Amino acid sequence: MQIHVVKSKIHRVKCTGAELNYIGSITIDEDLMEAANIIQGEKVQIVNNDNGERLETYCIPGPRNSGEITLNGAAARKVAVGDTLILITYAILDIEEAKGFKPALVFPDEATNLLK
């Protein structure tokens, strides 16, 4: 049996941009991506703490040490700059492997989105 488990989480970051006229995706500061073990093109679930929206898209790296968290394309309609977001990725693991798996949990500075 295989199950879905949390692979990584970037907890409580501020949305820094919403670019409607873009192909799609979420742009995430590359430092945050690395800390959370997220790779370019990986599916990311976005949970908006301010309006309750939940959506999925794929990620692209943003400039390092920028704190950038920008929703692009149609997803831009689901956020406002300044909204507090939680970004989550999942993995499918064998149940025995999942029992010992430890996700990458990242808690950036809530004011700047930078690693502490």
Side-chain angles (χ1 to χ4, degrees):
M1 178 184 344
Q2 294 185 316
I3 61 171
H4 290 253
V5 297
V6 173
K7 177 183 145 287
S8 48
K9 178 172 148 180
I10 302 174
H11 193 72
R12 296 186 60 84
V13 288
K14 298 290 185 199
C15 177
T16 61
E19 298 294 333
L20 184 59
N21 295 315
Y22 190 88
I23 297 170
S25 71
I26 181 171
T27 305
I28 303 172
D29 177 326
E30 196 166 2
D31 286 339
L32 293 174
M33 286 178 61
E34 283 184 2
N37 195 27
I38 298 172
I39 63 167
Q40 182 173 345
E42 186 169 356
K43 182 167 76 170
V44 178
Q45 180 182 47
I46 297 113
V47 179
N48 188 327
N49 281 1
D50 291 307
N51 66 18
E53 290 282 353
R54 287 179 172 255
L55 62 116
E56 293 178 342
T57 189
Y58 63 93
C59 65
I60 58 174
R64 288 185 179 280
N65 201 36
S66 66
E68 181 176 359
I69 303 290
T70 300
L71 274 291
N72 302 304
R77 295 193 183 276
K78 304 289 187 178
V79 299
V81 172
D83 282 357
T84 300
L85 309 176
I86 299 171
L87 313 178
I88 309 165
T89 66
Y90 299 89
I92 300 171
L93 300 176
D94 178 80
I95 194 162
E96 290 305 316
E97 182 183 9
K99 288 178 182 179
F101 180 76
K102 301 291 184 225
L105 305 176
V106 179
F107 299 89
D109 182 283
E110 289 189 38
T112 65
N113 292 346
L114 300 178
L115 296 172
K116 295 180 185 179

